[in-house]
Amino acid sequence: GKKGKITFLDTPGHEAFGGIRARGAKVADIAILVVAGDDGVKPQTLEALKCIRDAGLPFIVAVNKIDKPGSNVERTKQNLAEHEVYIEGYGGDVPAVPISALQGQGIPELLDMIILVSELQELKGDHALPGTGVVIENRLDTKKGMSATLIIKDGTVKSGAFVVAEDA
């Protein structure tokens, strides 16, 4: 019944972007490990899993591409168990949600699961505090000056406030 907001930080799945995934894991409160239901666990899945585990994040598995021929959610869950990811119903406590990102199938269930995990983790911020967070990326525009994309982890940043990051 209560409305809320979820901020997603999407990191690339390709192996070459491991550093970005590691930084993303340091910023996140909850991770979503996306595994293709037709491909199963790949090297980049294992690297993403390592980032999640190193950061100590609670996580949800989203088994994607359930709309594709050859997709097999149960085989994917078994494949995850071979890599010590134990899904609920398979002797573990990691929630898994089958989805089709292309068709939007399972997305409401995934959002509900994110909310449930956040409630179980008691994730809350204090809006009365000054905003603190993490710079995700920055850029210098010759006409506008420096700008940055931030994730606010706690507190509130109000219009007109100054933002300080290291010496900038």
Side-chain angles (χ1 to χ4, degrees):
K2 188 171 79 170
K3 289 190 177 189
K5 293 183 181 181
I6 299 173
T7 301
F8 287 91
L9 179 61
D10 185 15
T11 60
H14 191 274
E15 287 179 89
F17 296 99
I20 293 172
R21 276 196 297 282
R23 287 191 300 277
K26 289 179 185 173
V27 173
D29 294 316
I30 300 169
I32 301 172
L33 181 66
V34 181
V35 183
D38 60 338
D39 284 339
V41 176
K42 295 289 185 189
Q44 59 266 31
T45 309
L46 296 175
E47 188 198 342
L49 181 60
K50 182 179 181 330
C51 290
I52 291 167
R53 287 182 168 157
D54 288 351
L57 288 173
F59 68 101
I60 300 164
V61 172
V63 181
N64 193 20
K65 301 183 182 181
I66 61 169
D67 56 312
K68 287 186 78 174
S71 182
N72 186 327
V73 174
E74 297 309 310
R75 184 186 68 224
T76 303
K77 289 178 180 180
Q78 291 169 358
N79 196 213
L80 286 162
E82 293 167 10
H83 296 283
E84 299 178 1
V85 177
Y86 303 109
I87 303 297
E88 290 175 342
Y90 281 76
D93 60 357
V94 177
V97 181
I99 67 167
S100 167
L102 184 64
Q103 296 181 354
Q105 190 178 355
I107 301 303
E109 292 81 0
L110 178 60
L111 294 172
D112 287 344
M113 186 58 68
I114 293 168
I115 291 167
L116 178 61
V117 170
S118 73
E119 288 172 353
L120 291 173
Q121 295 293 316
E122 298 181 3
L123 301 175
K124 297 182 187 333
D126 186 346
H127 296 287
L129 295 173
T132 57
V134 178
V135 176
I136 300 300
E137 66 178 350
N138 62 32
R139 60 201 159 280
L140 180 60
D141 184 304
T142 55
K143 295 180 183 175
K144 294 181 182 180
M146 187 173 289
S147 65
T149 301
L150 311 170
I151 296 287
I152 305 303
K153 296 284 287 178
D154 199 10
T156 302
V157 176
K158 297 180 181 170
S159 181
F162 289 93
V163 176
V164 177
E166 294 182 9
D167 60 351

